[in-house]
Amino acid sequence: MNKVLIPCDGSDSALRAVRHAAEGLGRSSPPSLQLLHVIEPMTAVTLSEAFAAQGLDDRFPPQAAQALQPAISALDAAGVPYTLHCRFGEPATEIAAHARETGCDAIVMGTRGRGALASLVIGSVAMRVVQQVDIPVTLVK
């Protein structure tokens, strides 16, 4: 596995997926980890406000910075390299699109997110991702 995508929404489940990827994947040749945060359109007041706000850098709105920070801290502590990405849209669709567009070999993701709907429909985003991609998806509980 060369490129591994890890969707991060700031949830405990997403952080467990980050730790799983950092600890368990590619001990002999570490994979290239990509952290992705997807901002759902209804959660951003306006796109211009989101992009104008200060986050990790000018590319990341505060909402993404807050969601990515625990994962960044965990990977930095483990000495694992990564790249950061942020997209706007429906999470499962954007995760699958990002994986295709960047040539990811696998996805490692948590089974429960932060959204209110995720509390009602456990793993709904994860299951939609599995249905939309043709690469291995590891779900971390």
Side-chain angles (χ1 to χ4, degrees), residues 107-132:
I107 299 172
V108 176
M109 64 186 297
T111 57
R112 300 179 84 173
R114 282 190 174 270
L117 183 60
S119 299
L120 298 174
V121 184
I122 297 171
S124 62
V125 171
M127 292 312 298
R128 288 196 310 272
V129 169
V130 168
Q131 294 168 347
Q132 293 181 36

Side-chain angles (χ1 to χ4, degrees), residues 20-100:
H20 175 79
E23 294 169 2
L25 293 175
R27 287 269 181 215
S28 57
S29 60
S32 168
L33 299 183
Q34 296 188 14
L35 301 180
L36 171 66
H37 178 68
V38 178
I39 298 175
E40 296 181 71
M42 69 179 82
T43 62
V45 177
T46 67
L47 292 180
S48 61
E49 285 179 17
F51 280 116
Q54 295 297 313
L56 294 173
D57 61 32
D58 292 339
R59 299 176 304 146
F60 294 91
Q63 179 178 350
Q66 181 179 1
L68 290 167
Q69 195 56 57
I72 291 168
S73 296
L75 292 176
D76 285 346
V80 176
Y82 55 87
T83 57
L84 301 173
H85 304 273
C86 183
R87 294 176 73 122
F88 288 87
E90 192 281 318
T93 301
E94 294 302 320
I95 292 166
H98 182 87
R100 279 190 299 277

